Amino acid sequence: MKGKITIRDVADMARVSNQTVSRVINNRPDVAEETRQRVWQVIEALNYRPNALARSLIQQRSLTLGVITAGLQFLGPSQTLNGIIRQAEAMGYSLLLKELPHFHSNHSRPLLNTLLARQVEGIIWAVPEIGDNRYPIDDQLHQVSVPIIYLTMRKLPGVSTVAVDNYLGGRMAAQHLIDQGYRHIAHISGPLDWWEARQRQWGWFDTLREAGLSVSEKYSVPGDWSTASGAQAMTHLIGRYPDMDAVFVANDQMALGAMHAAHRRGYRIPDDLGVVGFDGMPEAAYFAPPLTTVSQDLRELGSTAVRQLSHAIGFDRPDDLVFEPGYISLRPELYIRESSVPNSS
Amino acid sequence: MKGKITIRDVADMARVSNQTVSRVINNRPDVAEETRQRVWQVIEALNYRPNALARSLIQQRSLTLGVITAGLQFLGPSQTLNGIIRQAEAMGYSLLLKELPHFHSNHSRPLLNTLLARQVEGIIWAVPEIGDNRYPIDDQLHQVSVPIIYLTMRKLPGVSTVAVDNYLGGRMAAQHLIDQGYRHIAHISGPLDWWEARQRQWGWFDTLREAGLSVSEKYSVPGDWSTASGAQAMTHLIGRYPDMDAVFVANDQMALGAMHAAHRRGYRIPDDLGVVGFDGMPEAAYFAPPLTTVSQDLRELGSTAVRQLSHAIGFDRPDDLVFEPGYISLRPELYIRESSVPNSS
DNA sequence: CTGAAAGCGCTTACAG
DNA sequence: CTGAAAGCGCTTACAG
């Protein structure tokens, strides 16, 4: 460790007091031009960098946001983080990042405490709602003195949440398959302790039922989001549901596995079997065949969360405005490709 | 903002001095058991959380690492970040995350300054080396008072770097295709201003030349890493290199696009055309056909970087040991699948 | 236009 | 075992 240069060193060398240096680095107007110049020269000569910790301490403002994420090795969480960090930098916030050891972890307390100890001005809880992994947070929510924005979970009163409308996405997928003439539409879901997985499943279920098509929970087989599990689920479905002529798969990766397994069993896609995925990963346009998918804009999800959080923090908000917690729902979009458009139709 | 509880509030309420509270929260032994209990009770009652900023200021220790990344929306950077954060949390470090607006950006200076102002103890430069995007950092390296670990770039004296051996990976891919009996092996590279792309290309080139096979820069077409560009590059190659019987593609996503385009042009994979990718993304095992690929462990890359950085910082290092900057090379691994194993061989 | 004093919320010697 | 004093590196009133 080299001895750090402090504001005192600059002040001494420029023969002014430290608060004149402070005025210079904060671009205050009330400094003689000649003094300003001299101070800047010393700052550059010494390569002085003001200590942001000291500044935060006195200003009671850290300009830092905390993010708690999970499963960063997967596409979704990292897309979301990408959106968060972009928007945060654009708004002048730094990001303190924490990751849960795994999706189901309910050891979020120490992570939350670390963030709060470091005086973050707000927190984004970017962990999908799975089972009761959110309870520890709800539990201590009333003890947390900074605003929290939740991502991707169900509506709760008094809580700010941003989420993609997964139920609508499920409906869009199912409706599209119906429109294309498919009548026996199965589902490969995500793990059913995931809120997102259940929403997509319900969208599929409700749409089929409302259309008067035969539908049953038996026609829905869960995977674990992985390509391998999609292949396995498809094999189960083939055994269980011989009439099946289409399948809505809850993410693109499982859809890839499902198409792979169906192909090996002699199904031609889309003629024997229509397939729709979920997520809109760019590679899906190059699967064999190109995959129809319900696209969700997770980067938009992330940046929306940061904007909401900034409002909730309120430094940029007029004093007479009050932040109202609310639920923001993002609309997914259907990308239609070969996998769901039979040649005969 | 609720009025924050400070150590003074706890001290007053527990009728002790603030340094006794300090002793309790830092688990110092020299506190009477009865006092300790009383203080803890007050801490819990007031839900007191020590301010980490104040602590860092006096202890001259932030327990924070800075990470500069780019392109988090892509698989590679987010895998690497995943490895970094895991290891950082395991070692008790928090992470301050910054992202360059795009890969080529050379506006890294403000990001670096923000990190240093916040007193990070070390920095991981997790940006691939592209063109001269590293120069701004090299430029001010001598002014930076904390250790930096670079990821994924060429060897430089006096600089600590961790990288996958991309040259070796290129060699492994080419050698494997030769071993499988292919003789006219083309290459789809990444953008050639990327160091990684050039390394993989050279590995391919050298291996073919050493094997006495015909090889030329003309047989190498660059893509931009995207699936779409892989398809396009393959179309070019088909026109340019009619004898081609195999291709080494510099990442799995372009390999997907390349297989897609080749398939449309009537090539059967692997019999008419052998294909090897790079990265080892899990989905590659489910491509049509399953893709042989050179796998790189980017999470290992990230965690290795954190371990190195921790050594360089030196709080856990005996005083008589000196940290020697060095170059750590990670070995990739070949996953052999259908796309490169002709049925006739 | 500039500086002496006080303080943000902690920890580190130093007394007793 | 416990507390009064000093200080980490800044900024914020307050004088002049």
Side-chain angles (χ1 to χ4, degrees):
Chain A
M1 291 291 177
K2 316 177 185 172
K4 286 266 181 184
I5 309 292
T6 74
I7 198 171
R8 269 246 65 84
D9 301 318
V10 177
D12 289 351
M13 193 158 187
R15 284 167 296 115
V16 293
S17 72
N18 46 357
Q19 52 221 297
T20 295
V21 178
S22 174
R23 288 191 186 96
V24 171
I25 57 184
N26 289 295
N27 288 315
R28 295 282 152 73
D30 48 354
V31 182
E33 190 51 32
E34 195 247 356
T35 311
R36 185 187 301 279
Q37 303 257 339
R38 185 153 37 92
V39 170
W40 269 124
Q41 277 172 13
V42 174
I43 287 176
E44 310 238 301
L46 295 180
N47 190 31
Y48 167 64
R49 244 183 298 262
N51 184 328
L53 263 34
R55 183 179 275 169
S56 293
L57 191 58
I58 191 107
Q59 290 191 144
Q60 305 285 55
R61 185 112 161 74
S62 68
L63 282 173
T64 306
L65 264 28
V67 176
I68 299 181
T69 181
L72 221 47
Q73 71 268 38
F74 298 107
L75 213 71
S78 59
Q79 296 280 337
T80 306
L81 179 60
N82 190 235
I84 291 174
I85 193 167
R86 288 278 156 102
Q87 189 63 34
E89 309 236 307
M91 302 185 86
Y93 284 107
S94 288
L95 234 53
L96 214 40
L97 183 64
K98 293 279 158 189
E99 190 187 34
L100 288 177
H102 52 267
F103 281 122
H104 293 74
S105 169
N106 47 18
H107 284 69
S108 47
R109 212 162 190 134
L111 302 189
L112 203 61
N113 280 330
T114 306
L115 292 180
L116 292 169
R118 285 162 189 267
Q119 311 302 116
V120 296
E121 297 182 9
I123 292 176
I124 296 179
W125 177 253
V127 181
E129 181 175 343
I130 306 168
D132 53 6
N133 73 341
R134 222 198 51 236
Y135 288 6
I137 293 297
D138 294 347
D139 244 22
Q140 63 176 161
L141 194 53
H142 62 281
Q143 304 182 348
V144 173
S145 44
V146 303
I148 302 188
I149 305 286
Y150 292 85
L151 254 39
T152 313
M153 56 171 236
R154 68 175 186 274
K155 204 168 195 159
L156 281 180
V159 169
S160 288
T161 306
V162 186
V164 169
D165 193 337
N166 285 283
Y167 176 78
L168 176 60
R171 294 200 66 107
M172 289 164 70
Q175 190 58 53
H176 166 69
L177 286 167
I178 295 171
D179 292 346
Q180 292 297 320
Y182 298 105
R183 288 295 170 264
H184 303 281
I185 304 170
H187 181 48
I188 296 177
S189 75
L192 290 175
D193 50 352
W194 287 58
W195 173 80
E196 296 167 275
R198 291 193 305 273
Q199 291 294 107
R200 292 171 198 174
Q201 187 192 45
W202 285 340
W204 159 80
F205 190 91
D206 284 359
T207 304
L208 262 60
R209 207 190 30 194
E210 288 168 21
L213 297 178
S214 95
V215 57
S216 143
E217 302 240 331
K218 284 187 318 187
Y219 302 158
S220 174
V221 174
D224 65 8
W225 302 121
S226 76
T227 307
S229 77
Q232 221 174 328
M234 176 52 74
T235 306
H236 285 164
L237 275 176
I238 290 174
R240 184 184 293 187
Y241 192 7
D243 290 343
M244 168 175 68
D245 63 1
V247 61
F248 161 46
V249 190
N251 79 347
D252 290 345
Q253 288 166 10
M254 292 195 295
L256 175 62
M259 292 201 296
H260 193 259
H263 184 78
R264 299 244 149 153
R265 298 290 291 263
Y267 283 81
R268 287 166 308 145
I269 300 169
D271 290 328
D272 300 336
L273 187 76
V275 181
V276 174
F278 203 108
D279 274 353
M281 59 189 276
E283 291 77 18
Y286 292 87
F287 288 171
L291 179 67
T292 295
T293 180
V294 179
S295 169
Q296 53 176 344
D297 191 344
L298 294 178
R299 292 166 77 185
E300 177 65 23
L301 180 77
S303 59
T304 302
V306 172
R307 279 191 299 269
Q308 281 300 99
L309 189 51
S310 168
H311 286 158
I313 293 169
F315 277 101
D316 57 351
R317 164 163 42 93
D319 279 349
D320 53 336
L321 271 184
V322 179
F323 177 78
E324 289 293 344
Y327 192 92
I328 296 185
S329 201
L330 266 35
R331 199 184 160 80
E333 196 179 341
L334 185 68
Y335 294 168
I336 301 177
R337 306 205 184 96
E338 268 181 61
S339 71
S340 64
V341 182
N343 298 315
S344 52
S345 86
Chain B
M1 292 286 177
K2 316 178 187 173
K4 286 266 182 184
I5 308 292
T6 73
I7 198 170
R8 270 247 61 87
D9 301 320
V10 177
D12 289 351
M13 192 159 188
R15 285 167 296 115
V16 293
S17 71
N18 45 356
Q19 50 222 301
T20 294
V21 178
S22 175
R23 288 189 186 97
V24 170
I25 58 187
N26 289 294
N27 287 314
R28 295 284 153 70
D30 48 353
V31 182
E33 190 50 34
E34 195 250 356
T35 310
R36 183 186 303 278
Q37 303 257 342
R38 185 152 38 90
V39 171
W40 269 124
Q41 277 173 12
V42 174
I43 287 175
E44 311 238 299
L46 294 180
N47 190 30
Y48 167 65
R49 244 181 301 260
N51 183 328
L53 263 34
R55 184 180 273 168
S56 293
L57 190 60
I58 190 109
Q59 290 190 143
Q60 305 285 55
R61 184 110 164 75
S62 69
L63 281 173
T64 305
L65 265 28
V67 176
I68 299 181
T69 182
L72 221 48
Q73 71 269 38
F74 298 107
L75 212 72
S78 60
Q79 296 280 336
T80 306
L81 179 60
N82 190 236
I84 291 174
I85 194 168
R86 288 279 157 103
Q87 188 64 34
E89 309 236 306
M91 301 183 87
Y93 283 107
S94 286
L95 236 52
L96 215 40
L97 183 64
K98 292 280 159 188
E99 188 185 35
L100 288 178
H102 52 268
F103 281 123
H104 294 73
S105 168
N106 46 17
H107 285 69
S108 46
R109 212 163 189 130
L111 302 190
L112 204 59
N113 280 331
T114 307
L115 292 180
L116 292 168
R118 285 162 188 265
Q119 311 303 113
V120 296
E121 297 182 10
I123 292 176
I124 296 178
W125 176 254
V127 181
E129 182 176 342
I130 305 167
D132 54 6
N133 74 340
R134 223 199 49 235
Y135 288 6
I137 293 297
D138 294 347
D139 244 22
Q140 63 176 163
L141 194 54
H142 62 283
Q143 302 181 350
V144 173
S145 45
V146 302
I148 303 189
I149 305 286
Y150 292 86
L151 253 39
T152 313
M153 55 171 236
R154 67 175 186 276
K155 203 170 195 158
L156 280 180
V159 169
S160 289
T161 307
V162 186
V164 170
D165 192 337
N166 285 283
Y167 176 78
L168 176 60
R171 293 200 67 107
M172 288 164 69
Q175 189 60 51
H176 166 69
L177 286 168
I178 295 171
D179 292 347
Q180 293 297 320
Y182 297 106
R183 288 296 171 263
H184 304 281
I185 304 169
H187 180 48
I188 296 176
S189 74
L192 290 174
D193 51 351
W194 286 57
W195 173 80
E196 297 167 277
R198 291 195 305 275
Q199 292 293 108
R200 292 172 199 175
Q201 187 192 43
W202 286 340
W204 159 80
F205 190 91
D206 284 359
T207 304
L208 262 60
R209 207 189 32 195
E210 288 169 20
L213 297 178
S214 93
V215 59
S216 145
E217 302 240 331
K218 285 188 315 189
Y219 302 160
S220 174
V221 173
D224 66 6
W225 300 121
S226 76
T227 307
S229 77
Q232 221 173 326
M234 175 53 74
T235 306
H236 285 161
L237 275 176
I238 290 173
R240 181 185 294 190
Y241 191 6
D243 289 344
M244 168 176 66
D245 63 1
V247 60
F248 162 46
V249 190
N251 79 348
D252 290 344
Q253 287 165 11
M254 292 196 295
L256 176 62
M259 293 202 295
H260 193 260
H263 184 77
R264 300 243 151 154
R265 298 292 291 264
Y267 284 81
R268 288 166 307 144
I269 299 169
D271 290 328
D272 300 335
L273 187 76
V275 180
V276 174
F278 203 108
D279 275 353
M281 59 188 277
E283 290 78 16
Y286 293 86
F287 289 172
L291 179 68
T292 295
T293 181
V294 178
S295 168
Q296 53 177 344
D297 190 343
L298 294 178
R299 292 166 78 187
E300 178 64 23
L301 180 77
S303 60
T304 303
V306 173
R307 278 190 299 267
Q308 281 300 100
L309 189 52
S310 167
H311 287 156
I313 293 171
F315 277 102
D316 57 350
R317 164 162 45 90
D319 280 347
D320 53 338
L321 270 183
V322 180
F323 177 77
E324 290 293 346
Y327 192 91
I328 297 185
S329 200
L330 264 36
R331 198 186 162 78
E333 196 179 341
L334 184 70
Y335 293 169
I336 300 177
R337 305 204 182 97
E338 266 181 62
S339 71
S340 64
V341 182
N343 298 315
S344 52
S345 83

